[in-house]
Structures are given as structure tokens and as C-alpha cells.
Amino acid sequence: MAKYLDPKNDLIFKRIFGTHKHLCISLLNSMLPFDEDHRIVDITYNPTELLPEINVLKDSIVDVRCTDVLGRHFIVEMQMYWTDIFKQRILFYASKVYISQLDASKSYDTLEPVYALTFVDQNFEKEPDMKDEYMHHYKIVNIAHTEKQIKGLEFIFVELPKFKPQNRVEKKLHELWLRFLTEIDESTETIPAELLENEEVKEAIQYTEQAAYTKAQLEAYDAYRDRALKERSAIIDALKTGEVIGLQRGKTEGRAEGRAEGRAEGRAEGRAEGEAIGREKGKEEANRETARKLKAIGMPLEQIKSITELNEEQINGL
């Protein structure tokens, strides 16, 4: 019986989509909103060194960058863990790819668009009205007239855990690729027949078979997985620790201030106001504790500021 590896892992993802152009083209065409006349027909792979590493999360991000024959640029990323800083990171990355096209021999009107396709192995849009919405497409548009667009940058985010197959014919390849990314991993014993019916997806599945890799490659696979899990756990632990400590302190201080102000201005009103103050102080303390944890694991200052909403002076003083 064949054993399989997770295509979301750096080694596997890049082997499939970073070295086999026809598979990368198939994935991009199935996910991006191109009509038949604007589909990608050929690509050239580009280096991904344009983006500085986020040290503490360098093993949670996998990316492939390419350009098609029309000059359009594509960034394909797999992110194992999500924080709000990733939106800024993707914006920075895509913008840098966009402006890197400009040199002494070109003018602004020659710049080709950049499309950033990001798969996220975690839910990040948690509002009730978005609980079943797994794809998010962003453009630069006129607020009052959304049909008017400044072309150049587009962002597509896919929340993999939210994806549920619908077996819609018009989205068959779209859904097959998402099933490939969400259903194939180390626990897979039997490959669904629908995935094997498509030649491109079937070929990609072959590249996930453990037998296709050397011992050294499998050791690299395991090492990447372990590092990514540790990074993910470190961030989650930092955030949870800050939340728990902040909640506990906020609750205690809220009660104390509620009693004090309640005696002076009325118990009910004082308790409500005191609890509100306590919650605010609890949130601040939670952010401080989170910042301490993130500093300890080496996260850069700007990213800590984005996550905790503390300023540079507050963080440096911890």
C-alpha cells in the first residue's frame, strides 16, 4: 500500500508546483478569475528572494513565483499559520514584485499586473456571515463604483479548512485541486477516484508518494514539518498566555474598581464601569504578555507592534 506525504509541506509543494510548469499553470487557471481568452498558457519561474524572511515564521510559509508569456506575475503561497501581519506581508511582497519591473528602459504604462494567490491552512475570517466563504478576492476599487478598478495588484486568499466539495461541473478542476490540498496527507490510505480521473491531479498525487523520495529528502520533509509545528505552537502559546493573564488580571481589577466606585456612586453603575476599566487593563496586560513571549522567540519589532497594538517604547520597556 502506498504511503503519502502532505502537499502543503515545503518540499512537496515546491516539487509539484515549483518544478512542473503545467501543474502550476493548471492550479493558477483553476483558482484565478480569468476567462477563456486570458488563461495562462506558459510560465517562467522567478526567484523568491525579493521578500525578507520573518525569522520566527520562515518555516510556516511556502512560496512559488512565476511570470507568464503576457508578462503577468504570479505569487503562489502556502501559509501554515495565519496572523494579521500576513496581509501586510503579502501586500508588501506583491508591491515589490510590481515595482521591480520598472528599470531605466521602461515606463509606468509597461508594468504588468501581479496576482497573489495565498492558501492558508487555518481559518482567519470568523464572522458569522463568512463562516462558509473560503475564497476572498481583493482588488483596488472605487468605493462608490466598485466596477472601476486601478489595475496592477490583486489578492486571492483561500481558507483551506472551510473548503467543502460541491461537485459543481463548472468548478471541477478548482475543486479537485482544493481536494488534493486538503485530503492528501500522511494519514491517507485510499485516494478518491475523482482525483485520479484528472491526469494533472493524478500526476501531482504521484509526487506525494513517500516512495518517490530519498531518505535524505524524507528527513528534510520531517524537519520542515517539525519546525513549522514548533513555530505555530510558539505563536499560539504566546497569544493564549497573554489572553489568559490579561483576562485574570482584568477580572480581578474590574471587581476591585467596581466595588470602590460602587460605594461612591452606586454599586451597579460602579461595578459596570469598573469592569469596563478592568477589561481594558486586562487587554493591555494581555498584549504586554503576548509581546514578552513574541520577543522571547525572536519575532521582529514591527510584527510584534502589529499583533499587540503596543508602541515601540512599550515593547522595548518589557
Side-chain angles (χ1 to χ4, degrees):
M1 179 185 296
K3 293 184 178 180
Y4 301 92
L5 303 173
D6 191 338
K8 296 185 290 295
N9 183 284
D10 177 85
L11 176 70
I12 314 303
F13 190 88
K14 286 184 176 176
R15 177 169 182 177
I16 296 171
F17 300 113
T19 61
H20 298 86
K21 295 198 298 185
H22 62 295
L23 299 182
C24 187
I25 290 169
S26 176
L27 178 71
L28 286 167
N29 279 331
S30 72
M31 297 293 155
L32 300 179
F34 296 147
D35 58 36
E36 198 63 35
D37 293 335
H38 295 87
R39 291 171 69 80
I40 304 165
V41 296
D42 193 17
I43 60 171
T44 300
Y45 288 113
N46 305 122
T48 59
E49 289 78 14
L50 283 171
L51 186 66
E53 287 183 346
I54 300 176
N55 292 332
V56 73
L57 294 172
K58 57 184 171 60
D59 290 310
S60 298
I61 305 167
V62 184
D63 66 319
V64 172
R65 192 166 76 84
C66 57
T67 306
D68 77 345
V69 292
L70 298 178
R72 297 175 296 185
H73 294 258
F74 303 94
I75 302 166
V76 187
E77 286 206 347
M78 174 66 66
Q79 295 185 354
M80 305 301 288
Y81 179 73
W82 177 267
T83 73
D84 287 339
I85 63 173
F86 280 127
K87 283 185 180 177
Q88 283 70 45
R89 176 186 178 278
I90 292 294
L91 177 61
F92 172 81
Y93 194 177
S95 300
K96 197 163 186 178
V97 171
Y98 186 71
I99 63 175
S100 70
Q101 301 174 61
L102 192 63
D103 58 32
S105 64
K106 293 183 179 180
S107 59
Y108 290 109
D109 59 358
T110 66
L111 299 180
E112 297 294 342
V114 176
Y115 298 86
L117 172 62
T118 303
F119 298 98
V120 185
D121 194 29
Q122 186 180 24
N123 293 346
F124 61 88
E125 295 289 5
K126 299 179 181 179
E127 292 81 356
D129 61 338
M130 301 180 75
K131 65 182 181 65
D132 298 320
E133 188 176 327
Y134 66 87
M135 287 198 71
H136 311 282
H137 187 182
Y138 293 84
K139 298 179 180 180
I140 303 174
V141 300
N142 183 302
I143 297 297
H145 305 278
T146 55
E147 74 280 0
K148 295 185 180 296
Q149 176 188 357
I150 298 177
K151 296 183 179 180
L153 297 175
E154 294 193 32
F155 307 87
I156 296 89
F157 295 91
V158 182
E159 295 178 88
L160 292 176
K162 284 186 181 179
F163 167 71
K164 300 293 183 295
Q166 300 296 323
N167 295 319
R168 292 171 291 200
V169 175
E170 73 276 10
K171 284 194 171 183
K172 184 176 182 181
L173 191 54
H174 171 95
E175 297 202 350
L176 289 177
W177 278 124
L178 289 179
R179 288 189 62 184
F180 168 73
L181 291 172
T182 56
E183 296 180 19
I184 308 300
D185 57 28
E186 295 94 339
S187 65
T188 300
E189 296 182 355
T190 304
I191 303 296
E194 310 90 88
L195 299 187
L196 297 174
E197 290 171 359
N198 180 277
E199 289 301 317
E200 292 169 336
V201 178
K202 179 180 179 180
E203 180 183 350
I205 291 172
Q206 293 173 348
Y207 298 132
T208 69
E209 292 186 12
Q210 185 173 318
Y213 295 86
T214 65
K215 180 180 179 182
Q217 288 175 322
L218 292 175
E219 289 175 350
Y221 172 92
D222 289 336
Y224 171 86
R225 180 188 57 193
D226 292 344
R227 290 195 306 269
L229 287 174
K230 287 179 181 177
E231 289 174 356
R232 184 171 182 162
S233 297
I235 298 297
I236 292 174
D237 178 64
L239 295 173
K240 283 186 175 179
T241 300
E243 288 174 0
V244 170
I245 291 176
L247 181 63
Q248 290 173 340
R249 293 187 180 180
K251 188 175 180 180
T252 301
E253 292 184 19
R255 287 174 177 170
E257 294 200 27
R259 285 195 295 269
E261 294 194 19
R263 285 192 295 270
E265 301 179 14
R267 188 171 300 278
E269 182 179 346
R271 182 182 296 114
E273 184 175 346
E275 288 179 353
I277 294 171
R279 282 194 298 270
E280 190 63 32
K281 288 187 176 181
K283 179 182 177 182
E284 182 178 343
E285 184 57 37
N287 285 336
R288 290 179 179 278
E289 187 61 30
T290 298
R292 291 188 190 97
K293 287 279 187 177
L294 296 179
K295 282 182 66 178
I297 59 177
M299 178 171 281
L301 177 64
E302 289 301 316
Q303 293 154 26
I304 298 176
K305 286 167 61 178
S306 176
I307 292 174
T308 64
E309 299 179 354
L310 298 179
N311 60 40
E312 184 173 345
E313 183 179 353
Q314 290 173 309
I315 295 170
N316 289 334
L318 294 176

